[in-house]
Amino acid sequence: MFLKNCWYMAGWSHELDGGRLLGRTLLEEPVLLYRGESGAAVALDNRCCHRGALLSNGRREGDCVRCLYHGLKFDGTGRCVQIPGQDVIPARLGVRSYPVVERQGLVWIWMGEAAKADRAQILDFPYLDDPQWKGVPDYMHYKANWLLIVDNLSDFAHLAFVHTKTLGGSEEYAFVTRPTTMERLPRGFRVERWHMNAEPPPFHRKVIPNPGDRVDRRNIGHMEIPGIFMLESLFAPAGQGAEKGNLEGAREYRNCQFMTPETRRTTHFFWNYLNNFEGADTGISESLHQSLIEGFLEDKSIIEGQQEVLDADPDFKLLAIAADAPLAHFRRTLARLIEEERQGSLRAA
């Protein structure tokens, strides 16, 4: 069901501020996330090994966490370091720890074999470090399998029908545009699509000085396993040659989205939509943030409905159309990696 040996986004860095103990189910495993007094992020099994109490209901003490049922204390490696009223601590007492990395405001976790965790595999999002790019990070919870959300992001044509009055703009987008490139990557895909001489979509009209001017619009979507989506959007004055590199007067956005399975039927959805032109006007980020919430709620309604259909009839078959090439490649690649991981575990056993 899940690929374990890879990096998943577990949360935003700000979710660990203030000494918070964050309990979050990831890949059907209960995980405690916190930042120790030293500043290092920690991820542990969220169940005290003594009686299964939630450590997220406990108390942080320095870099450790104390269970507030019987007072057992665990360090950042998961080792039990104190039992009130008991001097000898059996070596078997402890909880699992997970490799975790904080970078660019993101908290990454490795849910598989700790020895295989390679920080070099964590994707880079340079605009999250660049003060010129501004946005509002956010979170949604989906009552749906994460791959249904990946499917949704794999074809821009849905913008025309699901988001006509928010992120899309018109149904014309689906009929007159085609992907100009579709690259099958070792762990995902990259798709580029242009819409020439178009009306700006509603979310863009709200943040530009001349909302009636027509635009040439480019979307470049990049999806990576296990469910990481990056979208580069560009809106340039129509007819000035943006497709040939003339970007004078263009407005650009960077969108990063992270789909992390909570269970096989529920998903943590993290996202940020950034722009590089607002300057000191934070109202632009706020406007874009609200527009994205409206759009994602439109997606959410459809995707959660899909999950209800599949739950009601597990034998229902999803049939492909030509636009499904990116998502088909992604699902085949993911299935192959999961099978290779399973076979490797069997050989090791």
Side-chain angles (χ1 to χ4, degrees):
M1 176 57 66
F2 306 121
L3 184 67
K4 296 292 188 74
N5 288 324
C6 63
W7 292 100
Y8 287 88
M9 182 173 169
W12 295 106
S13 287
H14 70 255
E15 293 185 278
L16 306 185
D17 290 348
R20 182 184 180 189
L21 299 179
L22 175 63
R24 182 161 278 162
T25 299
L26 305 171
L27 282 61
E28 301 189 344
E29 297 181 19
V31 175
L32 166 68
L33 299 161
Y34 68 95
R35 188 182 299 113
E37 196 172 82
S38 66
V42 176
L44 302 176
D45 187 326
N46 195 23
R47 300 166 295 185
C48 179
C49 59
H50 176 221
R51 286 294 181 265
L54 292 174
L55 292 178
S56 54
N57 290 335
R59 180 174 67 217
R60 194 197 75 174
E61 297 182 3
D63 287 345
C64 300
V65 61
R66 186 180 298 278
C67 176
L68 291 184
Y69 189 13
H70 295 95
L72 276 70
K73 182 177 179 180
F74 303 91
D75 68 14
T77 70
R79 183 172 62 94
C80 183
V81 295
Q82 188 179 67
I83 303 174
Q86 180 175 329
D87 294 331
V88 177
I89 302 174
R92 71 179 186 279
L93 285 184
V95 296
R96 180 183 177 184
S97 66
Y98 299 87
V100 63
V101 174
E102 266 194 280
R103 184 179 297 174
Q104 298 175 320
L106 313 175
V107 181
W108 296 95
I109 190 169
W110 183 276
M111 299 295 292
E113 300 173 58
K116 295 183 177 180
D118 181 1
R119 293 178 176 226
Q121 294 180 15
I122 297 175
L123 295 179
D124 182 43
F125 302 88
Y127 41 86
L128 291 176
D129 286 330
D130 188 338
Q132 183 179 359
W133 290 93
K134 296 180 173 63
V136 181
D138 210 340
Y139 168 89
M140 279 187 179
H141 182 266
Y142 273 73
K143 294 179 180 179
N145 182 279
W146 92 103
L147 287 176
L148 293 177
I149 309 173
V150 170
D151 290 350
N152 169 265
L153 295 168
S154 298
D155 178 20
F156 299 138
H158 86 276
L159 290 170
F161 299 100
V162 180
H163 306 304
T164 307
K165 297 180 180 180
T166 53
L167 309 180
S170 73
E171 292 188 5
E172 177 191 49
Y173 185 80
F175 288 97
V176 304
T177 71
R178 297 286 188 279
T180 55
T181 61
M182 201 299 258
E183 298 179 59
R184 291 173 173 83
L185 306 175
R187 295 177 66 90
F189 62 81
R190 180 184 179 277
V191 177
E192 181 174 351
R193 193 166 186 151
W194 283 87
H195 188 192
M196 311 301 288
N197 192 30
E199 292 185 2
F203 85 95
H204 185 61
R205 286 202 297 268
K206 293 177 182 178
V207 296
I208 55 175
N210 301 306
D213 292 351
R214 299 182 74 83
V215 296
D216 291 335
R217 176 183 187 181
R218 182 192 69 192
N219 283 323
I220 301 175
H222 177 190
M223 184 75 75
E224 286 279 336
I225 284 171
I228 300 168
F229 183 65
M230 297 152 277
L231 178 66
E232 298 180 17
S233 296
L234 179 144
F235 295 86
Q240 78 168 22
E243 75 281 10
K244 299 176 182 177
N246 182 9
L247 303 184
E248 183 178 355
R251 295 287 185 267
E252 295 190 67
Y253 304 101
R254 296 291 183 270
N255 186 349
C256 51
Q257 301 174 31
F258 309 85
M259 286 68 71
T260 300
E262 178 182 54
T263 68
R264 66 199 69 195
R265 288 183 174 84
T266 57
T267 302
H268 301 293
F269 178 62
F270 307 93
W271 56 277
N272 198 349
Y273 197 79
L274 303 100
N275 74 90
N276 67 347
F277 59 87
E278 75 175 32
D281 183 4
T282 58
I284 291 178
S285 283
E286 291 296 337
S287 175
L288 293 169
H289 180 235
Q290 291 304 313
S291 291
L292 266 290
I293 290 175
E294 291 178 33
F296 288 152
L297 288 175
E298 292 168 334
D299 286 324
K300 192 171 186 284
S301 176
I302 288 180
I303 293 168
E304 292 183 341
Q306 286 178 280
Q307 187 65 58
E308 291 174 7
V309 168
L310 297 174
D311 286 343
D313 182 5
D315 294 326
F316 181 79
K317 300 299 182 185
L318 303 175
L319 302 179
I321 61 174
D324 294 335
L327 70 89
H329 170 70
F330 183 91
R331 284 191 174 234
R332 284 194 302 268
T333 303
L334 178 63
R336 174 179 56 79
L337 291 172
I338 291 175
E339 179 61 18
E340 289 175 357
E341 188 173 280
R342 188 183 74 85
Q343 291 296 333
S345 297
L346 291 175
R347 287 192 296 270

